[in-house]
Amino acid sequence: MWFAGPARRVPEAGRPATLRLGFTLTRGMRVGLYGGSFNPVHQGHAHVAETARKRLKLDRVIWLVSPQNPLKSSHETASLAQRMAGVRKVARGRAMIVSDAETAIGSTYTIDTLRVLKARFPGVKFVWIMGADSLASFHRWRGWTQIMGGAPVAVVSRPWISLKSRFSPAARRFAHARRPASQASTLATARPPRWVFLTGPLNFQSSTALRERMGGSRS
């Protein structure tokens, strides 16, 4: 089994593009970061974001639409503009922010994005949000142990994968840092590594199924 190595530190927080990300956060806010290709976005993604917002009592959820997932082929991914437009249709409400921040700061990896945003917005309580399908492969992410040490993580159950994800390398490695779902409302202020697994009604939509229904790998 291959494990991703540590990430390099990148002093990006002072770059002009990083100062103009299109959203404003203030000290003390509780903010969820929800990253992905969203290729295409579907109601399952919206379910994850909304579940995290409610259960963690977040002020904002920022959908970080990635320029290109390093674990996926660029031939399988629609343009950033297409994916951004799709996300805006499902990420509704004042609390939901759709952002191309990773493109603006030139970030390919989550660990770099997290570090830049923490430096750019000191005092903001960030939480990384992911579906259970992402937890199952989390150990393949660049700097995954550093991500767990950089911000609390909320994992939201997804169909078919939830049980497998609970026994994934990342779940086993950080078993000591898991807290019961009943403590989800305090996760944003917890000192990492801390994570919770949130269960609830499941949404069975998936990007793979939608791509197949549309007759190709691109949306």
Side-chain angles (χ1 to χ4, degrees), residues 20 38 74 84 93 101 118 149 170 187 191 206 208:
R20 299 188 297 270
F38 306 114
S74 60
M84 288 278 291
K118 288 177 64 177
L187 183 67
R191 182 178 180 180
S206 74
T208 301

Side-chain angles (χ1 to χ4, degrees), residues 91-106:
R92 299 174 180 174
R94 178 175 175 271
M96 299 292 177
I97 299 172
V98 181
S99 174
D100 61 353
E102 291 189 315
T103 299
I105 64 181

Side-chain angles (χ1 to χ4, degrees), residues 1-7 69-71 109-111 128 130-148 153 155 161 164-174 195:
M1 183 176 294
W2 178 79
F3 289 85
N69 185 331
L71 297 179
Y109 299 104
T110 294
I111 182 60
W128 189 262
M130 67 172 73
D133 48 341
S134 293
L135 179 63
S137 60
F138 189 46
H139 59 286
R140 298 178 60 201
W141 294 23
R142 176 73 62 86
W144 65 282
T145 59
Q146 294 162 297
I147 296 171
M148 290 292 284
V153 174
V155 182
I161 196 72
K164 179 181 178 181
S165 68
R166 295 192 201 193
F167 295 96
S168 65
R172 296 198 306 268
R173 171 74 175 271
F174 287 95
W195 67 286

Side-chain angles (χ1 to χ4, degrees), residues 16-83:
T18 307
L19 301 177
R20 299 188 297 270
L21 295 179
F23 55 83
T24 301
L25 305 175
T26 57
R27 184 178 294 271
M29 290 182 72
R30 299 151 64 106
V31 177
L33 300 175
Y34 185 28
S37 300
F38 306 114
N39 182 52
V41 71
H42 52 74
Q43 288 302 319
H45 292 129
H47 167 74
V48 169
E50 187 62 19
T51 297
R53 185 191 69 80
K54 291 180 178 179
R55 300 281 293 276
L56 275 58
K57 299 188 182 303
L58 301 174
D59 297 300
R60 300 286 188 274
V61 173
I62 301 177
W63 295 60
L64 296 167
V65 185
S66 65
Q68 174 59 47
N69 185 331
L71 297 179
K72 296 181 180 179
S73 168
S74 60
H75 299 295
E76 300 176 346
T77 308
S79 71
L80 178 62
Q82 286 178 295
R83 290 180 286 121

